[in-house]
């Protein structure tokens, strides 16, 4: 770590001195400042690789320094907050701080943060390269798109990737949330370590805790061996929690504790294990609405939502459609050793379509058309001109009865299965009627099947559903 410099800004001389000693021990050359004015002065003399700053200073709020672009660009900021006010630390992360520490200082955390500074300096150079060279071509890592909404997305990713901040990706199905999460990981100091994706809707509710946190041998029936959970598997890396709202309430409470303490407790274990995992969460529902309806714990929401990133739907960036289509077609061509082209009429049709399934639907449509086409992909092979989604049934459809005492999970399953029956097994229609994504529907059905519940097949004639005693 030789050759790195640090500036410590704090009005408490004793604290400055003891923090200074610890930082110097990590090989940093240390300077000190008592307030904002003095800090500006020191930084104008010479930049510091890392600035450790207390937010409440006698001559102002430390955040001001962070918001000064010319100052922030030159250094990594680590916020040291005395009053356990995580709120202000979170704001600092949003403003570009690398990480935060709370007083009293945890020495091992300080050490690991300082070790990350050097690597972070390296990524920033990599990021600058990505920005310069690739953005002009409409690319950012594996993300394709050059419209203003995508440029804003790249800005956000660039800002958050090198930090340790939690990220909540929101957006409709198929808008690229998982790809964005992978990009954040690839541009972080964790990139050499695993990136693991867990779909919370696809794991049996009774097993999700042990899948995430692992279990000890014999902790429940079927737990024959000790098992490491996703958190341990992802240690040092990034865990992508997809469809995070589907996580059961008890597991949400445990998740919050993991995020707050950096330790996990395996199912059936008595001792906690430290883990170093960055969590990136995603949902295609409205998380604030889920908090209001009680599906998502408010405190977990605040933890995950330190850095919210919305993914724009494809219909709001029509100018990207052709670029994306060409990109997917080129990938098929490379794979199949062909040289197929989109006809101008095909391009026009693609741009006119609304793409309810967003980039995923476009990718599938282009790949399918490319396989069917000879040399030129014409408009007849592509979607468009179709009717819009069906109106929800509202209270016009047949009814199911629910008994007081049923669990929410039970009610949800019965509504889903009854709707699927009503739609004669048509999953797309069912998902639209229920207002959930097709992927969520598939995940649910998989869980129901695994649990031995009957799931209607396409074309199956609907059964009467008005008596509340349907099996399953
Ligand atoms: N901007 C983009 N550039 C290139 N490919 C993209 C882009 N956005 C999405 N894709 C591709 O589209 C597909 C769907 O993306 P992804 O799985 O990230 O969506 P998602 O938002 O996670 O969807 P869901 O909510 O259904 O899980 C993937 O194959 C992904 O590689
Ligand atoms: Mg996804």
């Amino acid at each position: 770590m030789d050759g790195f410099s640090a500036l410590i800004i704090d009005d408490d001389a004793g604290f400055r001195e003891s923090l200074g000693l610890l930082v110097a021990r990590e090989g940093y050359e240390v300077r000190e400042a008592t307030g904002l004015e003095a800090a500006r002065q020191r930084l104008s003399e010479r930049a510091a690789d890392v600035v450790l700053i207390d937010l409440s200073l006698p001559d102002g709020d430390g955040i001001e320094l962070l918001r000064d672009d010319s100052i922030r660009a030159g250094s990594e900021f680590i916020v040291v907050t005395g009053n356990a006010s995580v709120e202000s630390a979170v704001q600092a992360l949003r403003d570009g701080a690398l990480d935060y520490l709370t007083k009293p200082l945890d020495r091992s955390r300080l050490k690991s943060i300082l070790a990350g500074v050097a690597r972070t300096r390296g990524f920033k150079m990599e990021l600058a390269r990505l920005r310069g060279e690739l953005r002009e071509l409409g690319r950012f890592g594996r993300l394709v798109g050059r419209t203003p909404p995508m440029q804003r997305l790249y800005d956000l990713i660039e800002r958050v990737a090198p930090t340790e901040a939690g990220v909540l990706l929101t957006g409709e199905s198929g808008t690229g949330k998982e790809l964005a999460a992978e990009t954040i990981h690839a541009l972080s100091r964790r990139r050499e370590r695993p990136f693991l994706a867990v779909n919370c809707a696809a794991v049996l509710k009774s097993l999700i805790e042990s899948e995430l946190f692992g279990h000890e041998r014999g902790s429940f029936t079927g737990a024959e061996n000790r098992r490491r959970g996703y958190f341990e598997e992802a240690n040092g890396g990034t865990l992508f929690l997809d469809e995070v709202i589907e996580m059961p309430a008890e597991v949400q409470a445990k998740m919050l504790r993991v995020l707050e303490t950096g330790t996990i407790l395996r199912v059936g274990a008595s001792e906690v294990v430290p883990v170093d995992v960055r969590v990136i969460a995603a949902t295609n529902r409205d998380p604030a609405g889920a908090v209001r309806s009680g599906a998502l714990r408010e405190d977990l929401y605040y933890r995950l939502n330190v850095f919210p990133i919305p993914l724009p739907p494809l219909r709001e960036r029509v100018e990207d459609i052709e670029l994306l289509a060409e990109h997917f077609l080129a990938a098929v061509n490379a794979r199949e050793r062909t040289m197929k082209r989109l006809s101008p009429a095909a391009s026009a049709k693609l741009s006119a379509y609304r793409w309810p399934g967003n980039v995923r639907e476009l990718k599938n449509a282009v790949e399918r058309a490319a396989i069917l086409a000879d040399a030129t992909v014409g408009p007849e092979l592509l979607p468009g001109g179709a009717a819009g989604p069906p109106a929800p049934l509202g209270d016009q459809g047949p009814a199911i009865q629910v008994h007081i005492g049923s669990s929410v999970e039970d009610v949800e399953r019965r509504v889903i299965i009854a709707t699927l029956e009503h739609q004669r097994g048509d999953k797309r229609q069912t998902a639209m009627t229920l207002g959930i994504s097709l992927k969520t529907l598939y995940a649910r059905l998989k869980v129901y099947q695994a649990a031995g519940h009957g799931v209607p097949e396409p074309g199956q004639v609907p059964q009467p559903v008005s008596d509340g005693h349907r099996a399953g």
Side-chain angles (χ1 to χ4, degrees), residues 144 150 173-179 284 359-360 363 439:
V144 174
M150 288 306 278
S173 186
T175 46
K177 295 184 292 296
E178 185 153 353
L179 196 53
N284 48 31
V359 184
R360 180 183 292 110
K363 181 170 186 249
K439 209 183 58 161

Side-chain angles (χ1 to χ4, degrees), residues 240-268:
F240 177 58
L241 292 178
D242 204 358
E243 313 233 13
V244 68
I245 290 171
E246 311 305 327
M247 198 181 275
E250 333 67 271
V251 182
Q252 288 187 20
K254 290 187 171 141
M255 179 63 65
L256 181 69
R257 218 171 42 230
V258 172
L259 297 177
E260 277 173 353
T261 62
T263 60
I264 53 155
L265 186 63
R266 295 193 193 105
V267 176

Side-chain angles (χ1 to χ4, degrees), residues 218-461:
S219 52
F220 54 88
T221 337
E224 268 139 39
N225 287 304
R226 198 177 114 187
R227 211 203 111 160
R228 280 149 53 95
Y230 289 116
F231 267 95
E232 281 176 273
E233 298 285 342
N235 207 2
T238 306
L239 190 58
F240 177 58
L241 292 178
D242 204 358
E243 313 233 13
V244 68
I245 290 171
E246 311 305 327
M247 198 181 275
E250 333 67 271
V251 182
Q252 288 187 20
K254 290 187 171 141
M255 179 63 65
L256 181 69
R257 218 171 42 230
V258 172
L259 297 177
E260 277 173 353
T261 62
T263 60
I264 53 155
L265 186 63
R266 295 193 193 105
V267 176
S270 49
E271 304 251 312
V272 295
V273 188
V275 284
D276 167 29
V277 172
R278 181 188 199 177
V279 169
I280 299 182
T283 177
N284 48 31
R285 290 165 56 186
D286 162 32
V291 169
R292 282 193 297 276
S293 74
L296 179 63
R297 278 181 72 113
E298 190 170 17
D299 42 13
L300 179 62
Y301 171 57
Y302 286 127
R303 264 281 154 179
L304 296 173
N305 202 35
V306 168
F307 207 93
I309 300 188
L311 280 277
L314 190 52
R315 64 181 169 280
E316 286 175 13
R317 46 189 181 101
V318 172
E319 292 77 25
D320 279 335
I321 293 176
E322 198 174 334
L323 185 68
L324 281 159
E326 295 289 0
H327 167 73
F328 294 132
L329 183 60
V332 175
N333 277 332
R335 200 171 61 219
E336 309 289 330
R337 297 171 194 280
T338 51
M339 290 181 63
K340 296 182 183 176
R341 290 267 163 273
L342 278 174
S343 77
S347 290
K349 191 171 181 190
L350 288 174
S351 298
Y353 182 56
R354 280 185 64 77
W355 301 108
N358 293 296
V359 184
R360 180 183 292 110
E361 186 184 4
L362 174 63
K363 181 170 186 249
N364 292 341
V366 168
E367 287 178 353
R368 176 179 169 278
I371 289 165
L372 295 174
D374 294 325
T376 305
V377 179
E380 69 288 351
L381 296 171
L382 294 165
L393 292 170
D395 49 10
Q396 302 302 303
I400 58 169
Q401 241 180 37
V402 175
H403 291 280
I404 291 174
S406 319
S407 68
V408 172
E409 202 172 323
D410 231 49
V411 173
E412 184 182 271
R413 187 186 66 243
R414 299 216 339 246
V415 172
I416 288 178
I417 292 184
T419 310
L420 186 59
E421 279 176 1
H422 180 79
Q423 301 290 6
R424 295 170 187 262
D426 183 331
K427 300 196 178 73
R428 190 172 281 275
Q429 291 272 46
T430 302
M432 282 199 260
T433 308
L434 291 167
I436 60 177
S437 76
L438 194 57
K439 209 183 58 161
T440 301
L441 179 65
Y442 273 111
R444 285 291 199 290
L445 295 177
K446 210 169 110 194
V447 167
Y448 302 157
Q449 262 159 345
H453 296 289
V455 168
E457 290 303 318
Q460 195 167 312
V461 177

Side-chain angles (χ1 to χ4, degrees), residues 156-213:
L156 290 172
I157 291 179
E158 203 174 299
R159 194 171 249 230
V160 79
T163 76
E164 291 296 311
V167 178
L168 182 60
L169 297 161
T170 55
E172 293 174 15
S173 186
T175 46
K177 295 184 292 296
E178 185 153 353
L179 196 53
E182 284 174 29
T183 308
I184 293 170
H185 172 77
L187 296 174
S188 77
R189 69 171 177 88
R190 300 173 174 275
R191 62 172 156 188
E192 309 283 337
R193 311 285 304 156
F195 173 89
L196 281 186
V198 188
N199 184 340
C200 300
V203 181
L204 268 177
K205 286 201 166 45
S206 54
L207 287 183
I208 190 161
E209 188 182 344
S210 97
E211 296 270 321
L212 286 170
F213 311 127

